[in-house]
Amino acid sequence: MLEVERERALDLRFRVMSLYLHNLGNELSVWYRELVDKSIGPVRVAAAAAERHGDEVLRDLYTAFGTRIHQEKNEDFDEVVVKSLAAVGLPADLAEAAHDPAYDAVVRRSHDAGKDPGADAYVGTPTIHVDGTVWFGPVLNSVPRGKEAVQLFDSFRVLANHPDLFELKRVRTGSLVFDQASRTRQPGLE
């Protein structure tokens, strides 16, 4: 979406969503339950940062979290939080929110704002609201850039606005790729 925003007029806003809240009561594999359970820390920090400094800090904070977790493969979420706060110039004391359940109500309010208002239900996380419709995703193995990102978004927008479409899914393959040069190009997106 950050790539698309450069080429399309969007009202792009980030909100706090929580895999932890989304999966409360769900039976998960052991490794995924551990990940989901520890994910609440950075989410609480994001909620605290948004509460103190406004939702606009979420864009850079989420990018900082994602860089450290997905690209740098840092599994120490306390360290991820500290380094991310420093990278975006937010106060270091926000890291204390990671272990403070007092922020869970703030997280819940923001998380619930991601629901489909028509159905009062979650579609999943990540959630994207486009032209009054709510969707799970996009889930991609790599980050499309430039014209490719715009083409993908424009195509999605056409589908999102069809009143009878409610799901499009295929089997996951591959793994996350951040280096554009090593990414396999998809036919028609060149």
Side-chain angles (χ1 to χ4, degrees):
M1 294 310 304
L2 297 175
E3 289 287 318
V4 174
E5 184 181 43
R6 296 175 190 181
E7 302 292 327
R8 295 287 183 267
L10 300 176
D11 178 18
L12 182 57
R13 291 176 277 162
F14 288 75
R15 304 281 306 192
V16 175
M17 287 200 76
S18 169
L19 283 173
Y20 176 80
L21 292 179
H22 188 70
N23 284 288
L24 278 177
N26 293 344
E27 197 163 318
L28 305 173
S29 63
V30 172
W31 75 268
Y32 193 59
R33 172 53 66 196
E34 289 174 4
L35 175 65
V36 164
D37 288 352
K38 77 178 192 175
S39 74
I40 192 62
V43 172
R44 287 174 176 154
V45 171
E51 187 175 62
R52 282 177 42 188
H53 301 281
D55 287 341
E56 55 277 353
V57 301
L58 293 174
R59 168 193 306 255
D60 292 339
L61 187 56
Y62 274 136
T63 300
F65 286 164
T67 297
R68 281 149 191 81
I69 293 169
H70 299 295
Q71 285 182 271
E72 297 173 7
K73 307 290 187 207
N74 190 338
E75 295 180 10
D76 180 344
F77 284 10
D78 288 333
E79 183 179 325
V80 165
V81 164
V82 169
K83 288 184 174 183
S84 297
L85 290 170
V88 301
L90 287 169
D93 70 320
L94 284 167
E96 296 168 15
H99 302 283
D100 187 350
Y103 286 98
D104 291 356
V106 177
V107 171
R108 172 63 75 186
R109 279 193 302 277
S110 184
H111 184 82
D112 285 350
K115 286 182 179 180
D116 182 332
D120 192 35
Y122 299 107
V123 294
T125 184
T127 298
I128 183 171
H129 294 235
V130 176
D131 300 333
T133 61
V134 182
W135 297 89
F136 163 69
V139 178
L140 302 166
N141 284 343
S142 62
V143 179
R145 305 287 182 194
K147 290 180 182 178
E148 181 183 16
V150 172
Q151 182 182 22
L152 181 62
F153 178 76
D154 289 346
S155 299
F156 168 74
R157 196 173 215 173
V158 168
L159 292 172
N161 281 293
H162 192 287
D164 295 325
L165 180 69
F166 66 92
E167 185 173 90
L168 180 65
K169 190 171 184 173
R170 69 178 178 182
V171 174
R172 290 183 188 209
T173 59
S175 60
L176 290 175
V177 177
F178 292 97
D179 177 10
Q180 198 66 5
S182 67
R183 194 173 148 254
T184 303
R185 304 291 300 179
Q186 296 293 317
L189 295 179
E190 300 172 350

